[in-house]
C-alpha cells in the first residue's frame, strides 16, 4: 500500500512543477524495426501524464468510429476517447477504453532515460503519425537504472484502399524491463503486473479487441524471453515489427511468426541440403 501512496504523491508533486534477439545479441541488432522521425513534439518529462487531443492528419475508422485526434499517453499507449494515466496495465480484452498499446506499462521519464516524442511524417510514402518511446525508464525513474525500453507506434493512412482504412505498426528495438515498482516489479523493472500489448475499441464485442501472446506474463516480452518482442514479427519481414491492418472498420489478427535463432537456421539449412528438399517451413 505504501508504494502506491508514494506513487500518488510523486504524481501530484510532478504535476505541480511541470513539466524499447536475445540478451546476448549485439547492440542495435534489431534497430531496423524502429523508424526515424516522428519527433517534432516532445511530451514533457513526467510520470503518468499525457498530451492531447492531437490531430494526427487523417481519418482512421477504428471499428466503426472515425477518429482524427488521439491522446499520447506516457505509459506506452495512445487512446482515442480521453487521456489515460493508469500505470498498471489492465486487461485489453475487457476494457471500456479505446486504446492501441505497443507496450502498456509504467513508463516514467521524470528523472532518467529519454522523453516520449511524437509527430507526423510518412511511412512507405504514405501519410503517417508516430509516437516514440525510445530509451525510456520505468517507475520509480532513476539514473541508477540500467534497463531501458525502446519501442514505437506508427499509424499509417491507407485511404488509398478505402475511406478510413489505416495500418498501425508496433516497432521494437529493446525491451529490458516489464513493469514499474508501483506495479509490483523489483528494482530492475522485472516481475509484477507486466506489460500488455494490443488494442481495444472499448465495447467488449467479439473481434474488437486483441492482446499479443505473452501479455501479462512475467519475462515473456523481454529480450530473450519466450515471446520476445524484438525477435518475432507480424505481417512483416523485419524482426521486431508487428503490422495490423484496419480495413472497413475491422482489424485482422494473424498469428505472429517466431524467428529461428541463428543456430537453428544453420541446422535447418543442413537438413535441407541433406534431404534435398525444395523448401521447409518452420512450424509456428
Amino acid at each position: 500500500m505504501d508504494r502506491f501512496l508514494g506513487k500518488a504523491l510523486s504524481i501530484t508533486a510532478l504535476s505541480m512543477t511541470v513539466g524499447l534477439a536475445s540478451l546476448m545479441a549485439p547492440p542495435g541488432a534489431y534497430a531496423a524495426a524502429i523508424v526515424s522521425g516522428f519527433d517534432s513534439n516532445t511530451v514533457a518529462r513526467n510520470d503518468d501524464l499525457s498530451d492531447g487531443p492531437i490531430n494526427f492528419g487523417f481519418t482512421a475508422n477504428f471499428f466503426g468510429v472515425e477518429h482524427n485526434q488521439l491522446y499520447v499517453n506516457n505509459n506506452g499507449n495512445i487512446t482515442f476517447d480521453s487521456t489515460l494515466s493508469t500505470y498498471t496495465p489492465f486487461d485489453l480484452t475487457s476494457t471500456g477504453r479505446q486504446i492501441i498499446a505497443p507496450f502498456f506499462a509504467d513508463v516514467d521519464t521524470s528523472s532518467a532515460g529519454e522523453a516520449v516524442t511524437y509527430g507526423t511524417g510518412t511511412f512507405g510514402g504514405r501519410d503517417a503519425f508516430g509516437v516514440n518511446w525510445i530509451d525510456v525508464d520505468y517507475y520509480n525513474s532513476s539514473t541508477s537504472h540500467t534497463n531501458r525500453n525502446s519501442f514505437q507506434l506508427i499509424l499509417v493512412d491507407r485511404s488509398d484502399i478505402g475511406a478510413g482504412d489505416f495500418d498501425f505498426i508496433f516497432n521494437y528495438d529493446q525491451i529490458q524491463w516489464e513493469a514499474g515498482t508501483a506495479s509490483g516489479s523489483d528494482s530492475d523493472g522485472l516481475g509484477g503486473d507486466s506489460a500488455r500489448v494490443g488494442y481495444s475499441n472499448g465495447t467488449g464485442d467479439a473481434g474488437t479487441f486483441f492482446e499479443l501472446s505473452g501479455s501479462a506474463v512475467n519475462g515473456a516480452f523481454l529480450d530473450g524471453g519466450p515471446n520476445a518482442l524484438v525477435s518475432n514479427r507480424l505481417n512483416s519481414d523485419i524482426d521486431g515489427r508487428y503490422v495490423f491492418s484496419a480495413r472497413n472498420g475491422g482489424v485482422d489478427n494473424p498469428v505472429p511468426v517466431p524467428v529461428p535463432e541463428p543456430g537453428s537456421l544453420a541446422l535447418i539449412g543442413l537438413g535441407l541440403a541433406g534431404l534435398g528438399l525444395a523448401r521447409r517451413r518452420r512450424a509456428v
Side-chain angles (χ1 to χ4, degrees):
M1 179 64 70
D2 289 343
R3 69 173 182 263
F4 294 99
L5 178 58
K7 169 102 172 179
L9 290 173
S10 68
I11 293 171
T12 300
L14 181 63
S15 59
M16 289 176 66
T17 58
V18 173
L20 159 143
S22 73
L23 290 170
M24 297 178 66
Y30 295 94
I34 299 289
V35 177
S36 62
F38 307 110
D39 56 1
S40 57
N41 301 277
T42 300
V43 180
R45 288 184 173 277
N46 76 91
D47 183 32
D48 304 333
L49 301 182
S50 308
D51 270 12
I54 301 159
N55 191 318
F56 54 87
F58 55 90
T59 298
N61 180 354
F62 193 53
F63 296 101
V65 181
E66 294 187 345
H67 302 279
N68 54 33
Q69 292 183 324
L70 55 74
Y71 299 86
V72 173
N73 304 308
N74 212 58
N75 291 327
N77 63 82
I78 63 99
T79 44
F80 292 113
D81 44 5
S82 63
T83 60
L84 182 64
S85 62
T86 303
Y87 53 87
T88 298
F90 47 71
D91 185 356
L92 298 176
T93 70
S94 61
T95 182
R97 299 303 305 269
Q98 298 171 15
I99 183 172
I100 298 178
F103 197 83
F104 184 10
D106 197 357
V107 176
D108 182 359
T109 63
S110 60
S111 298
E114 297 299 322
V116 177
T117 61
Y118 63 90
T120 58
T122 61
F123 182 88
R126 299 181 176 89
D127 290 341
F129 176 90
V131 186
N132 304 307
W133 292 266
I134 306 298
D135 197 37
V136 291
D137 199 11
Y138 55 93
Y139 182 83
N140 189 336
S141 182
S142 171
T143 55
S144 67
H145 296 163
T146 58
N147 294 342
R148 294 284 189 272
N149 288 354
S150 290
F151 57 97
Q152 179 184 58
L153 168 66
I154 305 177
L155 307 183
V156 185
D157 180 14
R158 295 310 309 268
S159 57
D160 59 305
I161 297 175
D165 288 352
F166 71 106
D167 294 335
F168 55 97
I169 304 169
F170 299 164
N171 291 324
Y172 304 92
D173 179 26
Q174 173 177 286
I175 299 295
Q176 296 183 338
W177 62 265
E178 59 191 341
T181 58
S183 301
S185 80
D186 63 16
S187 61
D188 292 321
L190 306 178
D193 295 316
S194 54
R196 294 178 183 263
V197 173
Y199 61 82
S200 174
N201 78 335
T203 66
D205 295 337
T208 64
F209 53 79
F210 175 78
E211 275 196 351
L212 197 64
S213 180
S215 290
V217 179
N218 289 164
F221 287 153
L222 297 173
D223 296 355
N227 303 94
L229 293 170
V230 300
S231 54
N232 287 278
R233 61 174 88 123
L234 174 64
N235 291 331
S236 171
D237 58 0
I238 297 177
D239 301 346
R241 176 167 295 169
Y242 301 70
V243 181
F244 298 86
S245 299
R247 302 291 184 265
N248 196 30
V251 180
D252 294 330
N253 300 319
V255 178
V257 178
V259 180
E261 295 295 326
S264 299
L265 289 172
L267 291 174
I268 292 173
L270 290 173
L272 290 175
L275 294 173
L277 297 176
R279 67 176 182 174
R280 179 179 179 182
R281 294 184 64 186
R282 184 176 185 268
V284 176

